[in-house]
C-alpha cells in the first residue's frame, strides 16, 4: 500500500511515517527513486515502535538511538562509558576481584581478630 493509506491505517500523518523511515524505524526496502510500498509487516513494526515509545515515554528519535546503541558496538561502548562516568552505571566486577573478595571473607571468618593480651 502507498504511504497515505499506511499512515491513515496507523493514525498518523504521511510526514510522520517518512520521519520514522528516515530514523531507521522501518525495514529498509525502498529502491532508489521508487515509492515505498508498505506491507502488513511494515505496519506491524511501526505499531510496535509506537507502543514502545508510549510504554517507555521516549520519542521516535530516542528509540532509533537505542536501536543504534544495540547494533553498533562503538556506540554501545561510548554510551556505557558515559553511564559509568556520570554514575548511572556501575563498573562490572571482574572475576578476579570477586574471587579476591571471597577469599578475604573466608579468611576473616576463620581467623577472627583476637584481642591482644599485651604480649
Amino acid at each position: 500500500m502507498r504511504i497515505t493509506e499506511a499512515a491513515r491505517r496507523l493514525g498518523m500523518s504521511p510526514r510522520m511515517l517518512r520521519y520514522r523511515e528516515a530514523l531507521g524505524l522501518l525495514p529498509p526496502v525502498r529502491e532508489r527513486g521508487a515509492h515505498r510500498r508498505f506491507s502488513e509487516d511494515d505496519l506491524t513494526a511501526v505499531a510496535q515502535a509506537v507502543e514502545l515509545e508510549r510504554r517507555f515515554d521516549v520519542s521516535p528519535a530516542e528509540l532509533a538511538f537505542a536501536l543504534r546503541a544495540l547494533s553498533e558496538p562503538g556506540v554501545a561502548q561510548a554510551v556505557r562509558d558515559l553511564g559509568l562516568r556520570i554514575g548511572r552505571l556501575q563498573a562490572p566486577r571482574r572475576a578476579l576481584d570477586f574471587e579476591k573478595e571471597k577469599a578475604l571473607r573466608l579468611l576473616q571468618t576463620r581467623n577472627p581478630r583476637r584481642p591482644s593480651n599485651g604480649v
Side-chain angles (χ1 to χ4, degrees):
M1 76 190 73
R2 300 288 302 258
I3 192 166
T4 45
E5 174 64 16
R8 185 187 63 71
R9 285 187 50 190
L10 290 164
M12 63 180 61
S13 70
R15 184 176 178 188
M16 177 54 81
L17 205 44
R18 284 187 196 96
Y19 174 64
R20 290 174 175 285
E21 182 179 24
L23 289 173
L25 294 175
L26 285 169
V29 295
R30 181 189 294 242
E31 293 178 13
R32 194 172 283 249
H35 291 284
R36 181 180 184 120
R37 293 284 184 181
F38 291 85
S39 68
E40 290 298 323
D41 286 343
D42 292 336
L43 299 183
T44 301
V46 173
Q48 182 179 5
V50 169
E51 171 57 29
L52 287 172
E53 293 159 15
R54 286 184 185 140
R55 185 181 335 156
F56 296 108
D57 192 29
V58 297
S59 69
E62 290 169 315
L63 181 59
F65 185 75
L67 287 170
R68 185 174 174 202
L70 288 171
S71 64
E72 296 179 30
V75 175
Q77 185 61 52
V79 171
R80 192 174 303 107
D81 291 346
L82 174 63
L84 291 169
R85 181 173 301 268
I86 64 174
R88 295 276 309 264
L89 297 175
Q90 292 182 350
R93 291 174 46 176
R94 297 180 309 189
L96 189 56
D97 292 339
F98 175 77
E99 292 299 325
K100 178 182 170 184
E101 290 172 15
K102 188 169 89 174
L104 288 172
R105 280 194 309 273
L106 285 171
L107 286 172
Q108 288 172 350
T109 58
R110 287 187 181 172
N111 296 321
R113 292 189 179 166
R114 297 182 185 141
S116 66
N117 296 348
V119 177

